[in-house]
Amino acid sequence: MTDKKSSAEDRKLVLEAKKTRKNSYAPYSNFKVGAALLARSGKVYTGANLENSSFGQTVCAERLALYKAVSDGEKDFKKIAIVAPGAEPVTPCGICRQALFEFAPQLEVLSVNLKGKVRKYTLRELLPYPFKYEKKKTKK
Ligand code: THU
């Protein structure tokens, strides 16, 4: 984990995550999260958390950004910015870490709280032992 100065790229991603956070639908937790995912193509995909009265249907901001990107044909990602409230910048939940790992094991993670406190991680740091599915060889 580092808290180094932000680059122009970081600032752009944080701005996008902040804007998207406004679209969060979180009437149950009131914990609004925005994410901006930078694809290797250069395009940025955003997501906000989306809750439901059937709580288990809730989708985190990070996964929504990822799913939007993948369904648009992106499969390779460089960095994700996450903006959320709280004293400390929020890191992706376990499910999101595994979901992001599927496409971007080398992903950089930029976490920012509403006071502008920044933390930088690598997904590798956050998910040191990811689940990997080994396909069985099919019998011929
Ligand atoms: N949430 C996210 O969107 N991203 C995270 O990294 C942590 C949690 C959402 C899910 C739920 O809507 C609310 O925050 C409280 O858990």
Side-chain angles (χ1 to χ4, degrees), residues 25 30 45 50 68 76 87 104 113 119 127:
Y25 179 75
N30 205 28
Y45 294 83
L50 204 168
K68 279 167 71 179
D76 197 6
N113 72 3
R119 292 280 182 266
L127 190 67

Side-chain angles (χ1 to χ4, degrees), residues 23-51:
N23 298 326
S24 157
Y25 179 75
Y28 304 102
S29 71
N30 205 28
F31 191 81
K32 295 179 177 232
V33 186
L37 179 63
L38 176 62
R40 295 267 177 210
S41 66
K43 276 180 83 174
V44 174
Y45 294 83
T46 57
N49 55 329
L50 204 168
E51 298 183 348

Side-chain angles (χ1 to χ4, degrees), residues 111-122:
S111 297
V112 184
N113 72 3
L114 300 184
K115 288 179 182 157
K117 196 167 181 180
V118 179
R119 292 280 182 266
K120 287 183 183 184
Y121 306 89
T122 61

Side-chain angles (χ1 to χ4, degrees), residues 89-105:
V90 154
T91 52
C93 77
I95 293 176
C96 287
R97 291 178 198 197
Q98 181 73 40
L100 291 163
F101 179 84
E102 181 82 19
F103 295 95

Side-chain angles (χ1 to χ4, degrees), residues 79-93:
K79 196 182 284 187
I80 190 166
I82 303 146
V83 175
E88 290 301 319
V90 154
T91 52
C93 77

